Amino acid sequence: MGNLEVRDLRKEFRDNDNTIVAVDGFNADIKDGEFIVLVGPSGCGKSTTLRCIAGLESPTSGELVLDGENVVSQKPKHRDMAMVFQNYALYPHMTARENISFGLKMSTDMDKDERNKRTDEVAEMMGIEELLNKKPDELSGGQQQRVALGRAIVREPEVFLMDEPLSNLDAKLRTQMRTELQSIQENLDVTTIYVTHDQTEAMTMGDRIAVLNGGELQQIGTPLECYHCPKNRFVAGFIGSPSMNFFDVELDEDGATPTLVHEGFEYELDDSTYNDIKGTTNRFTLGIRPEDINLVREDAKNAVHATVEVTEPLGDVSYVYLDIGGDRYTATLEGDFVLEPGQELTVSFPNDRIHVFDGNTGDALHNRVHSENETIEIPGVGESQGTSTGVSTEQAD
Ligand code: ATP
């Protein structure tokens, strides 16, 4: 079993007279066999969290309960966890076979034949049988990472801990290894905690993702929960590519219909959105994902006038950078549209796709409509999580 509860984990570092709080009260209940991804920008505390779980750092406070036992004071080798590092950390003087079987030699009483048998099985799983007699400097980055993964797998631990294991590989190999790693993890069914700064990796690999910022856990949930129902503006902006657009707006409640007022447009709210935000705060931020922006007729309800600044064609879609009210925003439109810089467009933000955040705290007040069964393509993510509804566009005549 590999049920891991992380309770109020805190880690402070002392730097001369300063105290750096690298991890500030991290809590998570990670179920046996679950694939959890820790994601966030550089310096947010991902690696420190993982290193505390591994036992490579001592937490300042907090508990780590593995299958009912608090392991926080146990040495790393007694925790039944195997870590895979970004830089592979292979022993340079050992062959791939020796690197893989070394852990077994140190931590079990298996004889050489048994160790070799296990190593052969794992090498076959990783597709590196031909490389077993080579030393690390004779292997490519991808091959070294396979050996490093093999070294973790051969120990059959309760928990895998992986710190950006794919980030030294080129983009194509990274995508390939991502898929392979996912299927290996699924087959082995071992609890896995995986650190990355890459939101695409997090979205595609994790059963759940934990989004960190400034040492604090912002949200933990399934990729689609974090994507559609972000708890705050940070999560909304970090998850999804290109990022969500944010507009500083004021709420005008004087007219017949409550309206969000921006320098470049006025946006009439539906009842559900208004009910969520009324009486909450005095400053609001309207959020809309680039793929939820539609081209519409000039006289459409809630029409927003925009000027094309730059277009980045990707083939199937184009990222179109728009000037709205003097600031730049992004729309993901169908690749068939040919748009020139300076061209005037009318776009709209569908009522059921907008998010509204507290303009002071960043907390989400209203999230877009989302049902668990909805099938939606996530731009910036290689594999769709369901059937695509495509980019919705209503072209002006
Ligand atoms: P990256 O993606 O760049 O690796 P990260 O999210 O993994 O970043 P951490 O490496 O966990 O972030 O660092 C979190 C914070 O703790 C940073 O401010 C970092 O400078 C600080 N930190 C980490 N290790 C130490 C240390 N040994 N001594 C002092 N400060 C440290």
Side-chain angles (χ1 to χ4, degrees), residues 1 26 45-46 60 68 82 93 121 166 188 209 234 247 306 309:
M1 293 285 280
F26 183 91
K46 309 178 291 290
T60 307
H93 59 286
E121 284 165 7
L166 308 183
L188 297 174
I209 58 182
F234 177 81
F247 299 87
E309 289 192 336

Side-chain angles (χ1 to χ4, degrees), residues 13-15 20 22 41-49 57 164 197:
F13 290 107
R14 288 234 148 245
D15 181 14
I20 298 161
S42 184
C44 71
K46 309 178 291 290
S47 294
T48 306
T49 304
E57 299 282 0
E164 307 237 15
H197 62 273

Side-chain angles (χ1 to χ4, degrees), residues 70-91:
N70 190 1
V71 298
V72 81
S73 52
Q74 284 183 2
K75 292 212 163 85
K77 64 179 179 185
H78 295 137
R79 292 193 184 191
D80 210 0
M81 300 178 184
M83 184 134 168
V84 181
F85 298 90
Q86 177 179 354
N87 60 4
Y88 322 131
L90 297 175
Y91 297 110

Side-chain angles (χ1 to χ4, degrees), residues 376-397:
I376 283 175
E377 182 177 344
I378 301 173
V381 173
E383 297 154 17
S384 67
Q385 309 224 346
T387 312
S388 165
T389 57
V391 177
S392 160
T393 50
E394 292 170 40
Q395 195 175 14
D397 287 340

Side-chain angles (χ1 to χ4, degrees), residues 60 84 102 133 143 153 160 184 274 298 313 342 368:
T60 307
V84 181
F102 183 71
N133 293 323
Q143 291 167 336
I153 290 167
F160 287 134
I184 288 169
Y274 180 56
E298 256 181 55
R368 56 155 288 177

Side-chain angles (χ1 to χ4, degrees), residues 22 37 59 66 94 212 240 319 383:
V37 180
L66 180 60
M94 291 185 185
L212 290 108
Y319 298 152
E383 297 154 17

Side-chain angles (χ1 to χ4, degrees), residues 190-296:
V190 174
T191 309
T192 301
I193 309 177
Y194 185 103
V195 160
T196 180
H197 62 273
D198 178 346
Q199 64 91 29
T200 306
E201 220 163 83
M203 291 292 285
T204 50
M205 296 183 88
D207 293 323
R208 284 190 298 157
I209 58 182
V211 185
L212 290 108
N213 189 32
E216 290 182 20
L217 179 63
Q218 305 291 309
Q219 182 164 2
I220 184 162
T222 65
L224 288 185
E225 274 165 8
C226 295
Y227 182 80
H228 290 304
C229 305
K231 282 201 167 158
N232 57 38
R233 178 175 164 160
F234 177 81
V235 175
F238 192 79
I239 299 294
S241 176
S243 289
M244 186 183 281
N245 297 291
F246 297 108
F247 299 87
D248 291 330
V249 289
E250 285 179 7
L251 176 62
D252 178 356
E253 296 168 279
D254 293 339
T257 309
T259 303
L260 293 179
V261 181
H262 178 261
E263 283 182 21
F265 59 87
E266 295 196 353
Y267 190 91
E268 289 187 5
L269 293 173
D270 63 12
D271 289 344
S272 118
T273 311
Y274 180 56
N275 286 336
D276 283 346
I277 74 168
K278 68 180 173 192
T280 53
T281 184
N282 57 349
R283 290 175 58 208
F284 297 90
T285 305
L286 171 65
I288 182 86
R289 292 206 179 272
E291 58 275 19
D292 290 332
I293 295 184
N294 294 337
L295 285 177
V296 292

